[in-house]
Short mmCIF file of all heavy atoms in Angstrom, two decimals:
data_model
loop_
_atom_site.label_atom_id
_atom_site.label_comp_id
_atom_site.label_asym_id
_atom_site.label_seq_id
_atom_site.Cartn_x
_atom_site.Cartn_y
_atom_site.Cartn_z
N SER A 1523 11.50 -44.28 77.49
CA SER A 1523 12.64 -43.48 77.94
C SER A 1523 12.59 -43.32 79.45
O SER A 1523 11.55 -43.03 80.03
CB SER A 1523 12.62 -42.10 77.28
OG SER A 1523 12.79 -42.21 75.88
N THR A 1524 13.76 -43.54 80.06
CA THR A 1524 13.93 -43.40 81.50
C THR A 1524 15.13 -42.49 81.77
O THR A 1524 15.88 -42.16 80.85
CB THR A 1524 14.17 -44.77 82.16
OG1 THR A 1524 15.28 -45.41 81.50
CG2 THR A 1524 12.94 -45.67 82.03
N VAL A 1525 15.31 -42.11 83.03
CA VAL A 1525 16.41 -41.22 83.41
C VAL A 1525 17.15 -41.85 84.58
O VAL A 1525 16.52 -42.35 85.53
CB VAL A 1525 15.88 -39.82 83.80
CG1 VAL A 1525 17.03 -38.93 84.25
CG2 VAL A 1525 15.15 -39.19 82.62
N ASP A 1526 18.50 -41.85 84.51
CA ASP A 1526 19.28 -42.43 85.59
C ASP A 1526 19.58 -41.39 86.67
O ASP A 1526 19.09 -40.25 86.63
CB ASP A 1526 20.56 -43.08 85.06
CG ASP A 1526 21.54 -42.08 84.44
OD1 ASP A 1526 21.45 -40.86 84.74
OD2 ASP A 1526 22.40 -42.52 83.65
N ASN A 1527 20.38 -41.77 87.65
CA ASN A 1527 20.64 -40.87 88.78
C ASN A 1527 21.57 -39.71 88.43
O ASN A 1527 21.81 -38.84 89.26
CB ASN A 1527 21.19 -41.66 89.98
CG ASN A 1527 22.45 -42.43 89.63
OD1 ASN A 1527 22.70 -42.74 88.48
ND2 ASN A 1527 23.25 -42.75 90.64
N PHE A 1528 22.08 -39.69 87.19
CA PHE A 1528 22.87 -38.54 86.72
C PHE A 1528 22.06 -37.67 85.77
O PHE A 1528 22.61 -36.84 85.05
CB PHE A 1528 24.15 -39.02 86.03
CG PHE A 1528 25.09 -39.77 86.94
CD1 PHE A 1528 25.18 -41.15 86.85
CD2 PHE A 1528 25.84 -39.11 87.90
CE1 PHE A 1528 26.03 -41.86 87.68
CE2 PHE A 1528 26.69 -39.82 88.75
CZ PHE A 1528 26.79 -41.19 88.63
N SER A 1529 20.73 -37.92 85.74
CA SER A 1529 19.81 -37.21 84.84
C SER A 1529 20.12 -37.47 83.37
O SER A 1529 19.79 -36.68 82.50
CB SER A 1529 19.83 -35.69 85.10
OG SER A 1529 19.39 -35.42 86.41
N LYS A 1530 20.73 -38.61 83.10
CA LYS A 1530 21.04 -39.00 81.73
C LYS A 1530 19.91 -39.88 81.20
O LYS A 1530 19.55 -40.88 81.82
CB LYS A 1530 22.36 -39.78 81.70
CG LYS A 1530 22.81 -40.19 80.31
CD LYS A 1530 24.13 -40.94 80.38
CE LYS A 1530 24.59 -41.40 78.99
NZ LYS A 1530 25.86 -42.14 79.06
N PRO A 1531 19.32 -39.50 80.06
CA PRO A 1531 18.20 -40.29 79.54
C PRO A 1531 18.66 -41.55 78.82
O PRO A 1531 19.76 -41.59 78.25
CB PRO A 1531 17.53 -39.32 78.56
CG PRO A 1531 18.65 -38.45 78.08
CD PRO A 1531 19.58 -38.30 79.25
N HIS A 1532 17.81 -42.57 78.85
CA HIS A 1532 18.07 -43.83 78.16
C HIS A 1532 16.78 -44.28 77.49
O HIS A 1532 15.71 -44.23 78.11
CB HIS A 1532 18.56 -44.91 79.13
CG HIS A 1532 19.80 -44.53 79.88
ND1 HIS A 1532 21.06 -44.82 79.42
CD2 HIS A 1532 19.96 -43.84 81.04
CE1 HIS A 1532 21.96 -44.35 80.28
NE2 HIS A 1532 21.31 -43.75 81.26
N SER A 1533 16.86 -44.74 76.25
CA SER A 1533 15.68 -45.16 75.51
C SER A 1533 15.89 -46.53 74.90
O SER A 1533 17.01 -46.90 74.55
CB SER A 1533 15.36 -44.15 74.39
OG SER A 1533 15.09 -42.87 74.92
N ARG A 1534 14.78 -47.28 74.78
CA ARG A 1534 14.80 -48.58 74.16
C ARG A 1534 13.37 -48.93 73.75
O ARG A 1534 12.41 -48.32 74.19
CB ARG A 1534 15.37 -49.66 75.08
CG ARG A 1534 14.45 -50.16 76.18
CD ARG A 1534 14.24 -49.14 77.26
NE ARG A 1534 15.40 -49.01 78.13
CZ ARG A 1534 15.59 -48.01 78.96
NH1 ARG A 1534 14.68 -47.02 79.04
NH2 ARG A 1534 16.66 -47.92 79.72
N ILE A 1535 13.25 -49.93 72.88
CA ILE A 1535 11.93 -50.38 72.45
C ILE A 1535 11.44 -51.50 73.38
O ILE A 1535 12.17 -52.45 73.66
CB ILE A 1535 11.96 -50.91 71.01
CG1 ILE A 1535 12.47 -49.84 70.03
CG2 ILE A 1535 10.57 -51.40 70.58
CD1 ILE A 1535 11.59 -48.63 69.93
N VAL A 1536 10.21 -51.35 73.86
CA VAL A 1536 9.54 -52.41 74.61
C VAL A 1536 8.17 -52.63 73.97
O VAL A 1536 7.77 -51.89 73.06
CB VAL A 1536 9.39 -52.05 76.11
CG1 VAL A 1536 10.76 -51.90 76.77
CG2 VAL A 1536 8.57 -50.78 76.30
N LEU A 1537 7.43 -53.62 74.44
CA LEU A 1537 6.14 -53.95 73.83
C LEU A 1537 4.99 -53.66 74.78
O LEU A 1537 5.01 -54.08 75.94
CB LEU A 1537 6.10 -55.42 73.43
CG LEU A 1537 7.14 -55.86 72.39
CD1 LEU A 1537 7.01 -57.36 72.12
CD2 LEU A 1537 7.00 -55.07 71.11
N LEU A 1538 4.01 -52.92 74.28
CA LEU A 1538 2.78 -52.69 75.04
C LEU A 1538 2.02 -54.01 75.13
O LEU A 1538 1.82 -54.70 74.13
CB LEU A 1538 1.91 -51.65 74.32
CG LEU A 1538 0.56 -51.34 74.97
CD1 LEU A 1538 0.75 -50.55 76.25
CD2 LEU A 1538 -0.34 -50.59 74.00
N LYS A 1539 1.60 -54.37 76.35
CA LYS A 1539 0.88 -55.62 76.54
C LYS A 1539 -0.52 -55.42 77.10
O LYS A 1539 -1.20 -56.39 77.42
CB LYS A 1539 1.69 -56.55 77.45
CG LYS A 1539 2.91 -57.14 76.76
CD LYS A 1539 2.52 -57.97 75.55
CE LYS A 1539 3.71 -58.56 74.84
NZ LYS A 1539 3.31 -59.38 73.67
N GLY A 1540 -0.95 -54.18 77.22
CA GLY A 1540 -2.31 -53.94 77.67
C GLY A 1540 -2.53 -52.48 78.01
O GLY A 1540 -1.59 -51.74 78.30
N VAL A 1541 -3.80 -52.08 77.94
CA VAL A 1541 -4.23 -50.77 78.44
C VAL A 1541 -5.32 -51.07 79.45
O VAL A 1541 -6.44 -51.45 79.08
CB VAL A 1541 -4.76 -49.86 77.31
CG1 VAL A 1541 -5.16 -48.50 77.87
CG2 VAL A 1541 -3.71 -49.70 76.21
N GLU A 1542 -4.98 -50.96 80.72
CA GLU A 1542 -5.88 -51.36 81.79
C GLU A 1542 -5.98 -50.26 82.84
O GLU A 1542 -4.96 -49.70 83.26
CB GLU A 1542 -5.38 -52.65 82.45
CG GLU A 1542 -5.24 -53.81 81.47
CD GLU A 1542 -4.56 -55.03 82.08
OE1 GLU A 1542 -4.36 -55.01 83.32
OE2 GLU A 1542 -4.24 -55.97 81.34
N GLU A 1543 -7.20 -49.95 83.25
CA GLU A 1543 -7.46 -48.93 84.26
C GLU A 1543 -6.71 -47.64 83.92
O GLU A 1543 -6.07 -47.01 84.75
CB GLU A 1543 -7.06 -49.45 85.66
CG GLU A 1543 -7.87 -50.66 86.09
CD GLU A 1543 -7.47 -51.15 87.47
OE1 GLU A 1543 -6.55 -50.57 88.07
OE2 GLU A 1543 -8.11 -52.11 87.96
N ASN A 1544 -6.81 -47.26 82.64
CA ASN A 1544 -6.22 -46.02 82.14
C ASN A 1544 -4.69 -46.00 82.25
O ASN A 1544 -4.08 -44.93 82.30
CB ASN A 1544 -6.80 -44.80 82.85
CG ASN A 1544 -8.28 -44.61 82.55
OD1 ASN A 1544 -8.74 -44.95 81.46
ND2 ASN A 1544 -9.02 -44.09 83.51
N SER A 1545 -4.06 -47.16 82.27
CA SER A 1545 -2.61 -47.25 82.34
C SER A 1545 -2.10 -48.15 81.21
O SER A 1545 -2.81 -49.03 80.72
CB SER A 1545 -2.16 -47.83 83.68
OG SER A 1545 -2.48 -46.94 84.74
N PHE A 1546 -0.84 -47.91 80.83
CA PHE A 1546 -0.20 -48.65 79.75
C PHE A 1546 0.75 -49.69 80.36
O PHE A 1546 1.63 -49.33 81.15
CB PHE A 1546 0.53 -47.69 78.82
CG PHE A 1546 -0.39 -46.71 78.14
CD1 PHE A 1546 -0.76 -45.54 78.78
CD2 PHE A 1546 -0.92 -46.98 76.89
CE1 PHE A 1546 -1.63 -44.64 78.18
CE2 PHE A 1546 -1.80 -46.09 76.28
CZ PHE A 1546 -2.16 -44.92 76.92
N ILE A 1547 0.59 -50.96 79.99
CA ILE A 1547 1.27 -52.06 80.66
C ILE A 1547 2.39 -52.63 79.78
O ILE A 1547 2.19 -52.86 78.59
CB ILE A 1547 0.28 -53.21 80.98
CG1 ILE A 1547 -0.97 -52.68 81.69
CG2 ILE A 1547 0.98 -54.29 81.80
CD1 ILE A 1547 -0.73 -52.08 83.04
N PHE A 1548 3.55 -52.84 80.39
CA PHE A 1548 4.61 -53.61 79.74
C PHE A 1548 5.31 -54.46 80.80
O PHE A 1548 5.15 -54.23 82.00
CB PHE A 1548 5.62 -52.70 79.01
CG PHE A 1548 6.57 -51.96 79.91
CD1 PHE A 1548 7.84 -52.48 80.19
CD2 PHE A 1548 6.22 -50.75 80.49
CE1 PHE A 1548 8.72 -51.80 81.01
CE2 PHE A 1548 7.09 -50.07 81.33
CZ PHE A 1548 8.35 -50.60 81.58
N PHE A 1549 6.08 -55.44 80.34
CA PHE A 1549 6.74 -56.39 81.25
C PHE A 1549 8.24 -56.40 80.99
O PHE A 1549 8.70 -56.19 79.86
CB PHE A 1549 6.17 -57.80 81.07
CG PHE A 1549 4.73 -57.91 81.50
CD1 PHE A 1549 3.71 -57.61 80.61
CD2 PHE A 1549 4.40 -58.31 82.79
CE1 PHE A 1549 2.38 -57.69 81.00
CE2 PHE A 1549 3.07 -58.40 83.19
CZ PHE A 1549 2.06 -58.09 82.29
N THR A 1550 9.00 -56.68 82.05
CA THR A 1550 10.45 -56.68 81.92
C THR A 1550 11.09 -57.38 83.12
O THR A 1550 10.40 -57.81 84.05
CB THR A 1550 10.99 -55.24 81.79
OG1 THR A 1550 12.38 -55.26 81.44
CG2 THR A 1550 10.81 -54.47 83.10
N ASN A 1551 12.40 -57.43 83.10
CA ASN A 1551 13.19 -57.93 84.22
C ASN A 1551 13.37 -56.77 85.22
O ASN A 1551 13.84 -55.70 84.85
CB ASN A 1551 14.54 -58.42 83.70
CG ASN A 1551 15.39 -59.10 84.75
OD1 ASN A 1551 15.55 -58.59 85.86
ND2 ASN A 1551 15.96 -60.24 84.41
N TYR A 1552 13.01 -56.99 86.46
CA TYR A 1552 13.11 -55.93 87.47
C TYR A 1552 14.56 -55.61 87.86
O TYR A 1552 14.79 -54.66 88.61
CB TYR A 1552 12.32 -56.32 88.72
CG TYR A 1552 10.81 -56.21 88.56
CD1 TYR A 1552 9.97 -57.07 89.27
CD2 TYR A 1552 10.22 -55.26 87.74
CE1 TYR A 1552 8.59 -56.99 89.16
CE2 TYR A 1552 8.84 -55.18 87.62
CZ TYR A 1552 8.03 -56.04 88.33
OH TYR A 1552 6.66 -55.95 88.23
N GLN A 1553 15.51 -56.42 87.38
CA GLN A 1553 16.92 -56.14 87.64
C GLN A 1553 17.61 -55.48 86.45
O GLN A 1553 18.82 -55.26 86.47
CB GLN A 1553 17.64 -57.45 88.02
CG GLN A 1553 17.11 -58.07 89.31
CD GLN A 1553 17.69 -59.44 89.60
OE1 GLN A 1553 18.33 -60.05 88.74
NE2 GLN A 1553 17.45 -59.94 90.81
N SER A 1554 16.85 -55.15 85.42
CA SER A 1554 17.41 -54.53 84.22
C SER A 1554 17.74 -53.06 84.48
O SER A 1554 17.34 -52.48 85.48
CB SER A 1554 16.40 -54.62 83.07
OG SER A 1554 15.24 -53.86 83.39
N HIS A 1555 18.48 -52.48 83.54
CA HIS A 1555 18.82 -51.05 83.67
C HIS A 1555 17.56 -50.20 83.75
O HIS A 1555 17.47 -49.28 84.57
CB HIS A 1555 19.66 -50.61 82.47
CG HIS A 1555 21.08 -51.08 82.54
ND1 HIS A 1555 21.95 -50.96 81.48
CD2 HIS A 1555 21.79 -51.66 83.54
CE1 HIS A 1555 23.13 -51.44 81.82
NE2 HIS A 1555 23.06 -51.89 83.06
N LYS A 1556 16.59 -50.49 82.89
CA LYS A 1556 15.38 -49.67 82.87
C LYS A 1556 14.65 -49.70 84.21
O LYS A 1556 14.15 -48.68 84.69
CB LYS A 1556 14.47 -50.07 81.70
CG LYS A 1556 13.77 -51.40 81.87
CD LYS A 1556 12.85 -51.72 80.69
CE LYS A 1556 13.55 -52.31 79.52
NZ LYS A 1556 14.14 -53.64 79.78
N SER A 1557 14.61 -50.89 84.83
CA SER A 1557 13.91 -51.02 86.11
C SER A 1557 14.67 -50.29 87.22
O SER A 1557 14.05 -49.67 88.09
CB SER A 1557 13.76 -52.50 86.47
OG SER A 1557 12.90 -53.14 85.55
N LYS A 1558 15.99 -50.36 87.20
CA LYS A 1558 16.78 -49.63 88.20
C LYS A 1558 16.59 -48.14 88.04
O LYS A 1558 16.55 -47.40 89.03
CB LYS A 1558 18.25 -50.03 88.07
CG LYS A 1558 18.53 -51.47 88.48
CD LYS A 1558 19.99 -51.86 88.24
CE LYS A 1558 20.24 -53.31 88.63
NZ LYS A 1558 21.63 -53.73 88.35
N GLU A 1559 16.47 -47.67 86.79
CA GLU A 1559 16.24 -46.24 86.57
C GLU A 1559 14.85 -45.82 87.01
O GLU A 1559 14.67 -44.74 87.58
CB GLU A 1559 16.49 -45.94 85.08
CG GLU A 1559 17.97 -46.03 84.72
CD GLU A 1559 18.22 -46.36 83.26
OE1 GLU A 1559 17.28 -46.34 82.45
OE2 GLU A 1559 19.40 -46.66 82.92
N ILE A 1560 13.86 -46.67 86.78
CA ILE A 1560 12.50 -46.37 87.24
C ILE A 1560 12.46 -46.30 88.76
O ILE A 1560 11.73 -45.48 89.34
CB ILE A 1560 11.51 -47.42 86.69
CG1 ILE A 1560 11.31 -47.21 85.19
CG2 ILE A 1560 10.17 -47.34 87.43
CD1 ILE A 1560 10.50 -48.30 84.51
N ALA A 1561 13.24 -47.14 89.43
CA ALA A 1561 13.29 -47.11 90.89
C ALA A 1561 13.86 -45.78 91.39
O ALA A 1561 13.48 -45.29 92.46
CB ALA A 1561 14.13 -48.27 91.42
N ILE A 1562 14.75 -45.17 90.60
CA ILE A 1562 15.34 -43.88 90.96
C ILE A 1562 14.40 -42.74 90.63
O ILE A 1562 14.21 -41.82 91.42
CB ILE A 1562 16.69 -43.70 90.22
CG1 ILE A 1562 17.72 -44.72 90.72
CG2 ILE A 1562 17.23 -42.27 90.41
CD1 ILE A 1562 18.95 -44.81 89.84
N ASN A 1563 13.81 -42.81 89.44
CA ASN A 1563 12.91 -41.75 88.96
C ASN A 1563 11.80 -42.42 88.17
O ASN A 1563 12.03 -42.92 87.07
CB ASN A 1563 13.68 -40.76 88.09
CG ASN A 1563 12.83 -39.57 87.67
OD1 ASN A 1563 11.61 -39.61 87.73
ND2 ASN A 1563 13.49 -38.52 87.21
N SER A 1564 10.61 -42.44 88.73
CA SER A 1564 9.51 -43.18 88.11
C SER A 1564 8.85 -42.44 86.96
O SER A 1564 7.95 -42.97 86.31
CB SER A 1564 8.44 -43.51 89.17
OG SER A 1564 7.91 -42.33 89.74
N ALA A 1565 9.28 -41.20 86.67
CA ALA A 1565 8.75 -40.45 85.53
C ALA A 1565 9.36 -41.01 84.25
O ALA A 1565 10.58 -41.07 84.11
CB ALA A 1565 9.06 -38.97 85.68
N VAL A 1566 8.51 -41.42 83.31
CA VAL A 1566 8.97 -42.02 82.06
C VAL A 1566 8.18 -41.42 80.89
O VAL A 1566 7.19 -40.72 81.08
CB VAL A 1566 8.78 -43.56 82.07
CG1 VAL A 1566 9.53 -44.19 83.25
CG2 VAL A 1566 7.30 -43.93 82.12
N SER A 1567 8.64 -41.73 79.69
CA SER A 1567 7.88 -41.34 78.50
C SER A 1567 7.84 -42.51 77.53
O SER A 1567 8.73 -43.37 77.52
CB SER A 1567 8.49 -40.11 77.82
OG SER A 1567 9.75 -40.41 77.27
N LEU A 1568 6.79 -42.53 76.72
CA LEU A 1568 6.59 -43.54 75.67
C LEU A 1568 6.39 -42.83 74.34
O LEU A 1568 5.83 -41.72 74.31
CB LEU A 1568 5.36 -44.39 75.96
CG LEU A 1568 5.29 -45.15 77.28
CD1 LEU A 1568 3.89 -45.78 77.42
CD2 LEU A 1568 6.36 -46.23 77.32
N VAL A 1569 6.80 -43.47 73.27
CA VAL A 1569 6.50 -42.98 71.92
C VAL A 1569 6.09 -44.15 71.05
O VAL A 1569 6.81 -45.16 70.98
CB VAL A 1569 7.70 -42.25 71.28
CG1 VAL A 1569 7.34 -41.81 69.85
CG2 VAL A 1569 8.12 -41.04 72.09
N PHE A 1570 4.95 -44.01 70.40
CA PHE A 1570 4.52 -44.93 69.36
C PHE A 1570 4.70 -44.22 68.02
O PHE A 1570 4.27 -43.07 67.87
CB PHE A 1570 3.04 -45.31 69.51
CG PHE A 1570 2.74 -46.17 70.70
CD1 PHE A 1570 2.51 -45.58 71.94
CD2 PHE A 1570 2.67 -47.54 70.60
CE1 PHE A 1570 2.22 -46.36 73.06
CE2 PHE A 1570 2.38 -48.33 71.70
CZ PHE A 1570 2.15 -47.73 72.93
N HIS A 1571 5.29 -44.90 67.03
CA HIS A 1571 5.42 -44.33 65.69
C HIS A 1571 4.86 -45.33 64.70
O HIS A 1571 5.40 -46.44 64.56
CB HIS A 1571 6.89 -44.02 65.36
CG HIS A 1571 7.06 -43.46 63.99
ND1 HIS A 1571 8.03 -43.90 63.12
CD2 HIS A 1571 6.37 -42.50 63.32
CE1 HIS A 1571 7.94 -43.23 61.98
NE2 HIS A 1571 6.94 -42.38 62.08
N TRP A 1572 3.77 -44.94 64.04
CA TRP A 1572 3.13 -45.80 63.05
C TRP A 1572 3.32 -45.17 61.68
O TRP A 1572 2.49 -44.40 61.20
CB TRP A 1572 1.66 -46.00 63.40
CG TRP A 1572 1.47 -46.70 64.71
CD1 TRP A 1572 2.22 -47.73 65.21
CD2 TRP A 1572 0.48 -46.42 65.72
NE1 TRP A 1572 1.75 -48.12 66.44
CE2 TRP A 1572 0.69 -47.34 66.79
CE3 TRP A 1572 -0.56 -45.50 65.82
CZ2 TRP A 1572 -0.10 -47.35 67.94
CZ3 TRP A 1572 -1.36 -45.51 66.95
CH2 TRP A 1572 -1.13 -46.43 68.00
N LYS A 1573 4.44 -45.48 61.05
CA LYS A 1573 4.83 -44.85 59.79
C LYS A 1573 3.78 -45.04 58.71
O LYS A 1573 3.51 -44.13 57.91
CB LYS A 1573 6.17 -45.44 59.32
CG LYS A 1573 6.71 -44.82 58.04
CD LYS A 1573 8.04 -45.44 57.66
CE LYS A 1573 8.63 -44.73 56.43
NZ LYS A 1573 7.76 -44.89 55.25
N GLU A 1574 3.16 -46.24 58.68
CA GLU A 1574 2.18 -46.53 57.63
C GLU A 1574 0.99 -45.58 57.67
O GLU A 1574 0.34 -45.34 56.65
CB GLU A 1574 1.69 -47.97 57.76
CG GLU A 1574 2.78 -49.02 57.51
CD GLU A 1574 3.53 -49.40 58.78
OE1 GLU A 1574 3.56 -48.60 59.73
OE2 GLU A 1574 4.08 -50.51 58.83
N LEU A 1575 0.69 -45.04 58.85
CA LEU A 1575 -0.44 -44.10 59.00
C LEU A 1575 0.03 -42.67 59.18
O LEU A 1575 -0.79 -41.77 59.36
CB LEU A 1575 -1.30 -44.51 60.21
CG LEU A 1575 -1.98 -45.88 60.11
CD1 LEU A 1575 -2.72 -46.19 61.41
CD2 LEU A 1575 -2.94 -45.91 58.93
N GLN A 1576 1.36 -42.47 59.15
CA GLN A 1576 1.95 -41.14 59.35
C GLN A 1576 1.47 -40.54 60.67
O GLN A 1576 1.08 -39.38 60.76
CB GLN A 1576 1.61 -40.22 58.17
CG GLN A 1576 2.16 -40.76 56.85
CD GLN A 1576 1.79 -39.93 55.64
OE1 GLN A 1576 0.92 -39.06 55.70
NE2 GLN A 1576 2.44 -40.20 54.50
N ARG A 1577 1.56 -41.36 61.72
CA ARG A 1577 1.08 -40.97 63.05
C ARG A 1577 2.12 -41.26 64.12
O ARG A 1577 2.93 -42.19 63.99
CB ARG A 1577 -0.21 -41.71 63.40
CG ARG A 1577 -1.44 -41.26 62.64
CD ARG A 1577 -2.65 -42.12 62.97
NE ARG A 1577 -3.84 -41.57 62.33
CZ ARG A 1577 -5.03 -42.17 62.33
NH1 ARG A 1577 -5.18 -43.34 62.96
NH2 ARG A 1577 -6.06 -41.61 61.73
N GLN A 1578 2.04 -40.46 65.17
CA GLN A 1578 2.89 -40.65 66.34
C GLN A 1578 2.08 -40.29 67.58
O GLN A 1578 1.26 -39.38 67.55
CB GLN A 1578 4.12 -39.74 66.23
CG GLN A 1578 5.03 -39.75 67.45
CD GLN A 1578 6.22 -38.84 67.26
OE1 GLN A 1578 7.18 -39.20 66.63
NE2 GLN A 1578 6.14 -37.62 67.81
N ILE A 1579 2.32 -41.02 68.67
CA ILE A 1579 1.71 -40.69 69.95
C ILE A 1579 2.81 -40.61 71.00
O ILE A 1579 3.60 -41.55 71.16
CB ILE A 1579 0.66 -41.73 70.40
CG1 ILE A 1579 -0.43 -41.88 69.34
CG2 ILE A 1579 0.04 -41.34 71.74
CD1 ILE A 1579 -1.43 -42.98 69.66
N ARG A 1580 2.86 -39.49 71.72
CA ARG A 1580 3.78 -39.33 72.85
C ARG A 1580 2.97 -39.45 74.14
O ARG A 1580 1.88 -38.90 74.26
CB ARG A 1580 4.44 -37.95 72.84
CG ARG A 1580 5.57 -37.79 71.89
CD ARG A 1580 6.45 -36.58 72.25
NE ARG A 1580 5.68 -35.40 72.61
CZ ARG A 1580 5.69 -34.82 73.81
NH1 ARG A 1580 6.40 -35.34 74.80
NH2 ARG A 1580 4.98 -33.73 74.03
#
Side-chain angles (χ1 to χ4, degrees):
S1523 296
T1524 54
V1525 178
D1526 65 21
N1527 56 337
F1528 297 104
S1529 298
K1530 182 179 179 181
H1532 301 269
S1533 299
R1534 76 289 286 165
I1535 302 296
V1536 297
L1537 299 178
L1538 178 72
K1539 287 300 179 179
V1541 181
E1542 302 172 9
E1543 298 180 358
N1544 295 328
S1545 294
F1546 298 85
I1547 310 296
F1548 75 95
F1549 293 87
T1550 190
N1551 186 312
Y1552 285 149
Q1553 297 173 348
S1554 64
H1555 284 170
K1556 72 178 82 65
S1557 294
K1558 291 176 182 178
E1559 289 154 11
I1560 288 172
I1562 293 167
N1563 185 342
S1564 61
V1566 302
S1567 68
L1568 302 173
V1569 178
F1570 291 85
H1571 179 226
W1572 297 321
K1573 183 179 184 297
E1574 295 89 336
L1575 297 176
Q1576 299 177 347
R1577 288 176 174 174
Q1578 175 180 280
I1579 303 175
R1580 281 198 317 116

